[in-house]
Amino acid sequence: MAGEIRTRNRILHILQLYDGRAAWSVEEIAGEMGISVSSAYRDVQELVHADFLTPVMGARYVLGPTFAHFDLLMRHGDPLLKVAEPHMRELVGATTPFSASVLTRSYQDKVMCIYQEIGDPTARIGRYERGATMPMFRGATSKVILAHQSRRALERMYLAHEEQVRANSHRQSLKDLCHELDAIREAGVAVSDSEITPGTIGIAAPIFMEKKVVAGLSLIVRTEHCRLEPFRASVIDTAAKISLQLADVDGAWVTRA
């Protein structure tokens, strides 16, 4: 594999290694990529110089402070977050403190949490902090985004993860999956029971911009505190408000640019 990695792509590939492990040595990076230790060392030093990597004990390297700075810039510059945050706080306040409101976006063949509002922190709703990922085929949070993918994209993802889908659900074919997602798309909401966090109900609705789904809004509730019908209506209404306001913000954003 590594012999096929072109020099200009090596830096990106090194950073992608950290999606699977927190710390790497130069020798481990060289072995994983199939390049010489001297080449890996030069690439790593370039990343260290830019603070993308930081040396730690054991002659290993971890992700550096540049990522924290970029995350700050993303949070300040993302119009979706600016619009969604107050609505998400209202959603938790209007339903139950034994809940978490979660905002997600698609990330490769997964779903990534980009923001959460928690009611009572002692309720132990689950870990949905910014940057956490979840499988695309499990949970309301993921399914509501998956339901609005094109059929071609859906087929590609299904074929790439067919064994995983069959092992973790009752769906035994692409046809079964499409039937479930068609129902979610028609209803405008997805509901799941303990698919991600045991003892919780997930209720999710899509957020649109220019008629395309750009995110999912979820309410994760402890099962014993869930009032499904009113909570489902609240999630749908909140997602619609965010979509409507996001359209206005996006127009103003483009005009200023």
Side-chain angles (χ1 to χ4, degrees):
M1 147 191 19
E4 300 174 0
I5 299 175
R6 291 173 292 182
T7 302
R8 67 186 184 201
N9 293 332
R10 288 207 310 255
I11 294 292
L12 176 60
H13 189 81
I14 289 173
L15 295 177
Q16 289 173 331
L17 293 178
Y18 285 85
D19 195 28
R21 204 167 83 196
W24 291 79
S25 69
V26 170
E27 290 77 13
E28 290 169 337
I29 290 172
E32 182 71 17
M33 297 177 60
I35 60 177
S36 67
V37 172
S38 60
S39 294
Y41 180 79
R42 285 195 298 271
D43 293 339
V44 166
Q45 289 307 302
E46 185 175 343
L47 288 166
V48 169
H49 181 71
D51 285 325
F52 283 103
L53 295 181
T54 297
V56 294
M57 296 292 291
R60 280 177 162 77
Y61 297 83
V62 298
L63 295 178
T66 293
F67 287 98
H69 179 61
F70 281 168
D71 183 66
L72 177 66
L73 296 178
M74 287 173 60
R75 286 186 281 116
H76 285 180
D78 189 347
L80 174 61
L81 286 178
K82 292 182 178 180
V83 169
E85 285 182 19
H87 291 291
M88 293 171 67
R89 284 193 291 272
E90 291 175 6
L91 177 60
V92 171
T95 52
T96 172
F98 298 97
S99 68
S101 180
V102 180
L103 189 65
T104 59
R105 278 180 167 152
S106 59
Y107 169 69
Q108 298 178 3
D109 281 354
K110 301 176 183 178
V111 166
M112 177 180 287
C113 302
I114 63 171
Y115 185 72
Q116 68 167 338
E117 281 286 344
I118 300 176
D120 184 349
T122 66
R124 298 182 180 178
I125 300 301
R127 298 187 64 185
Y128 297 95
E129 66 265 31
R130 180 173 172 86
T133 59
M134 294 174 290
M136 182 64 84
F137 294 93
R138 290 177 55 203
T141 301
S142 300
K143 291 176 189 174
V144 79
I145 293 178
L146 193 65
H148 292 82
Q149 301 294 312
S150 69
R151 191 54 56 96
R152 179 177 295 181
L154 183 59
E155 181 176 0
R156 178 192 61 77
M157 286 188 284
Y158 177 85
L159 293 176
H161 303 279
E162 186 172 2
E163 291 185 7
Q164 174 189 342
V165 174
R166 291 190 176 189
N168 293 304
S169 73
H170 61 278
R171 309 178 210 99
Q172 295 301 306
S173 69
L174 178 60
K175 183 179 179 180
D176 291 340
L177 177 63
C178 290
H179 180 72
E180 179 183 6
L181 296 178
D182 286 345
I184 290 173
R185 188 167 56 251
E186 184 175 348
V189 66
V191 179
S192 63
D193 186 349
S194 298
E195 290 189 21
I196 299 296
T197 303
T200 63
I201 302 294
I203 307 169
I207 295 173
F208 294 91
M209 187 170 65
E210 296 181 350
K211 299 182 179 180
K212 295 182 179 180
V213 170
V214 294
L217 174 70
S218 303
L219 186 70
I220 316 299
V221 188
R222 296 298 304 177
T223 303
E224 62 270 25
H225 297 284
C226 183
R227 294 185 293 127
L228 184 57
E229 291 306 318
F231 288 4
R232 181 162 55 185
S234 294
V235 172
I236 293 173
D237 181 62
T238 302
K241 288 178 180 177
I242 294 173
S243 297
L244 184 62
Q245 189 175 345
L246 187 61
D248 293 338
V249 171
D250 184 61
W253 194 274
V254 172
T255 300
R256 287 197 300 271

